[in-house]
Amino acid sequence: MTPAMPPDATPQPAVLDAVELTSDPALRDRFAESAHRILADLVDGGAALGWVEPPSPDEVADLLAHVVSAARAGDAALRAAYLDGRLVGLGYWLRYARPTHRPHADLEKIAVGSAAQGLGVGRALTAALIADAREAGIEVLTLDARGDNTHALRLYASLGFTEYGRLPDFVAVGERRYDKVFCMLDLRRQP
């Protein structure tokens, strides 16, 4: 018998990896569509995910196919968070392609749907991706974030990332300019 969750407890997301996502036909078939909906809605609301306009369904499907292929080759990790059977967030890292940078990877996207923000989904996704990087032998995990994305920057700092650089007014969204903040997590120094 499963114990009942206290009424004020926050539900914990199920965080699946690329193998789990692609081995279940029901999840696999809905994943790209659900991911597109999350990414497009976030970008439409002004989120800092690398797009100025919401991506098309084909663009998201192509991106996810690329990440899944790289994950199968050991050059990426993809994670998807589900609450009550519904996709609420996703994230991935990719190993650097340059031969001299192959021991390292870049955490490229963490996206949590609006309705699930504040429920620990971003933390669960990021922690799972850090664990995947550690398991894959990644030495340094990097990321960059828009300077006004203070919530994400606080989350990354709480998970051990440190800022190593900043390009002032580098990100252009129409007439607005934002700093581009570079962060890193040195996994060689962590148990």
Side-chain angles (χ1 to χ4, degrees):
M1 177 175 214
T2 305
M5 191 180 328
D8 59 344
T10 302
Q12 295 301 304
V15 180
L16 307 181
D17 64 21
V19 172
E20 294 166 314
L21 279 169
T22 57
S23 64
D24 181 336
L27 285 177
R28 182 183 60 232
D29 294 344
R30 291 189 323 263
F31 179 60
E33 179 184 329
S34 299
H36 170 260
R37 196 168 25 259
I38 289 171
L39 293 168
D41 287 349
L42 289 170
V43 172
D44 194 42
L49 290 169
W51 290 286
V52 174
E53 297 294 326
S56 71
D58 288 342
E59 188 177 357
V60 172
D62 290 347
L63 170 67
L64 295 174
H66 169 71
V67 174
V68 167
S69 176
R72 287 186 180 133
D75 291 332
L78 169 68
R79 289 292 182 150
Y82 287 83
L83 280 172
D84 298 324
R86 186 174 48 88
L87 181 70
V88 295
L90 65 140
Y92 66 89
W93 58 255
L94 289 168
R95 190 181 293 271
Y96 282 97
R98 188 180 294 177
T100 56
H101 297 177
R102 296 285 297 156
H104 315 296
D106 191 52
L107 182 60
E108 295 197 4
K109 291 206 189 322
I110 297 287
V112 177
S114 314
Q117 291 180 8
L119 300 177
V121 175
R123 177 173 295 282
L125 284 167
T126 308
L129 289 165
I130 291 169
D132 293 340
R134 204 176 260 117
E135 186 176 317
I138 298 298
E139 293 178 9
V140 177
L141 187 59
T142 62
L143 63 85
D144 63 79
R146 204 166 75 186
D148 68 325
N149 197 353
T150 56
H151 182 74
L153 290 167
R154 276 194 308 270
L155 168 66
Y156 300 139
S158 75
L159 291 168
F161 283 87
T162 57
E163 183 177 328
Y164 70 89
R166 183 179 286 256
L167 292 172
D169 298 328
F170 187 80
V171 179
V173 180
E175 296 299 314
R176 292 170 294 179
R177 298 293 180 268
Y178 303 94
D179 290 358
K180 182 173 185 174
V181 180
F182 297 94
C183 299
M184 62 171 277
L185 178 62
D186 190 338
L187 297 172
R188 298 169 294 193
R189 298 183 188 167
Q190 306 216 342

